[in-house]
Amino acid sequence: MKTKGIPPVWRPDLIALFVLIGAVIYGLIFAVAEGLTYRYGDRNPFFRILTAEARQFDLVILGASHAMPLGFEGPRRQIEQATGASTLTLAATGAGPFVQRLIAERYFTDHQARAVLIVVDSFGFTAPTWNEDRIGDADLLPRTPWDAALLRMFWRATARGLPFATVADYASGFSKINTRDRLTPDTWEGEAKFTRSARPSALADRQRIEYLYPAVPNDATLARYLQDLVAVVRLAKAEGARVVVVRPPVPARFAALIPHKEVFAERLSGVLGPEGIKVHDFSGILPDPKVYFDTDHLNETGVAHWLDMGLLDVVNAGLTGAE
């Protein structure tokens, strides 16, 4: 009795060959996508770390979008000329303390700093949206260069809530390969608006608040992200860097809408006090909407005022240890 041969489509050697060919093609596409990441990269904080020419900066700046203008050419030059310090801004839009912790961990893996300036926004402590979920967002993960050390950090961060899907995505480069923005520079639209002044709008203010605070923060969530902030402070201090924490200016009409701001301020001081860190609150120093380019981001004039009205003094004190 004759036995039928194995159909060609099910032959193990052919399956292995097809898998190998697919892997090679995928690897080539991944390599091209990775090259484009470096070609068009700019504001992604992990990109800035991995491409930094120096291994030590005097001042490293962490935070969300309110901190990003400090890295624009004009303000950066003003800071460096006034302090004599080299700066590296590693802020990212919508980056809460969970994200900032990963950025700091990657930076201090092979870099040093004299001081770290952390610009704190209360919205970043209210929801996973700005923290573990933010890492996997389409404007952040595809722009993040592949790096073995960072992959290990992502993997360890799963114990703190980072989705396994995000780690798998980063490891495989899936979103990097499939992003529509692969051929566009990694810029923030705020930089193009930096010289403008916004017209006050009650509707825009409410919509912005609803976007930033999608849910009522609960005590457990706030406590968890405050501990991420404390972890950043302790890491920086362990690496020999001084830490300066500030609250950024916001327009008076916008500040009035921020929920639970008194509770947050109290809790923030409560966790940083034992670490020897004072919170410098600049939130009310620039109430005029004319120094903002939208609902809550300082324009060029506003940042210059902020620096002159105390931020430079605080930074200088942090750099020299006089704080």
Side-chain angles (χ1 to χ4, degrees):
M1 182 177 178
K2 295 182 178 181
T3 59
K4 295 183 180 180
I6 299 176
V9 72
W10 295 111
R11 285 175 52 186
D13 56 337
L14 289 179
I15 293 175
L17 178 61
F18 290 148
V19 170
L20 177 61
I21 292 172
V24 170
I25 293 173
Y26 190 92
L28 291 173
I29 296 173
F30 190 119
V32 171
E34 186 71 8
L36 292 174
T37 299
Y38 279 92
R39 180 176 179 180
Y40 293 107
D42 181 18
R43 67 182 172 113
N44 182 286
F46 299 111
F47 171 84
R48 291 191 168 191
I49 294 169
L50 293 171
T51 59
E53 295 182 1
R55 287 296 176 183
Q56 178 170 345
F57 289 85
D58 295 317
L59 180 67
V60 171
I61 301 172
L62 299 174
S65 57
H66 287 141
M68 291 178 68
L70 297 175
F72 292 173
E73 183 177 357
R76 179 182 57 79
R77 191 187 318 115
Q78 186 178 351
I79 294 171
E80 293 184 346
Q81 289 177 350
T83 64
S86 58
T87 67
L88 181 64
T89 299
L90 300 178
T93 56
F98 184 100
V99 180
Q100 295 168 29
R101 180 175 178 177
L102 285 169
I103 293 169
E105 287 174 349
R106 183 60 190 89
Y107 178 84
F108 282 112
T109 296
D110 46 22
H111 292 73
Q112 294 178 312
R114 285 174 56 199
V116 175
L117 171 64
I118 307 176
V119 181
V120 172
D121 285 290
S122 62
F123 78 85
F125 296 77
T126 61
T129 304
W130 312 118
N131 291 282
E132 52 265 45
D133 293 348
R134 178 72 181 98
I135 292 291
D137 279 354
D139 69 330
L140 187 62
L141 195 65
R143 301 287 193 175
T144 301
W146 201 94
D147 173 65
L150 185 56
L151 178 60
R152 290 193 294 271
M153 291 175 186
F154 282 175
W155 176 255
R156 291 196 296 269
T158 58
R160 297 188 287 110
L162 186 68
F164 285 98
T166 299
V167 181
D169 187 338
Y170 179 69
S172 65
F174 182 81
S175 62
K176 184 176 299 182
I177 290 172
N178 290 280
T179 179
R180 297 179 179 179
D181 299 325
R182 64 178 65 86
L183 298 178
T184 59
D186 182 24
T187 57
W188 179 43
E189 61 181 12
E191 190 162 5
K193 302 176 181 178
F194 193 45
T195 58
R196 305 177 188 175
S197 292
R199 293 182 178 180
S201 168
L203 176 60
D205 289 344
R206 290 196 302 271
Q207 290 176 336
R208 176 71 171 161
I209 289 292
E210 290 172 0
Y211 171 72
L212 291 175
Y213 299 88
V216 176
N218 61 63
D219 189 68
T221 299
L222 177 58
R224 178 155 60 101
Y225 295 135
L226 283 170
Q227 285 308 305
D228 280 323
L229 177 62
V230 169
V232 175
V233 170
R234 290 176 177 173
L235 171 62
K237 291 168 67 175
E239 294 292 334
R242 302 182 182 94
V243 179
V244 178
V245 176
V246 303
R247 303 284 305 279
V250 290
R253 69 187 195 284
F254 186 85
L257 300 176
I258 296 176
H260 310 290
K261 51 182 177 291
E262 293 83 6
V263 173
F264 176 75
E266 182 179 349
R267 293 291 301 277
L268 181 65
S269 296
V271 298
L272 293 182
E275 303 296 326
I277 304 297
K278 175 184 177 181
V279 180
H280 299 272
D281 190 351
F282 293 99
S283 59
I285 67 167
L286 292 169
D288 188 353
K290 293 180 181 178
V291 297
Y292 298 84
F293 67 75
D294 62 8
T295 56
D296 55 296
H297 293 98
L298 289 168
N299 59 21
E300 186 174 32
T301 300
V303 173
H305 286 338
W306 184 19
L307 290 168
D308 291 338
M309 294 173 69
L311 183 57
L312 279 177
D313 293 336
V314 169
V315 169
N316 256 322
L319 287 166
T320 60
E323 188 180 35

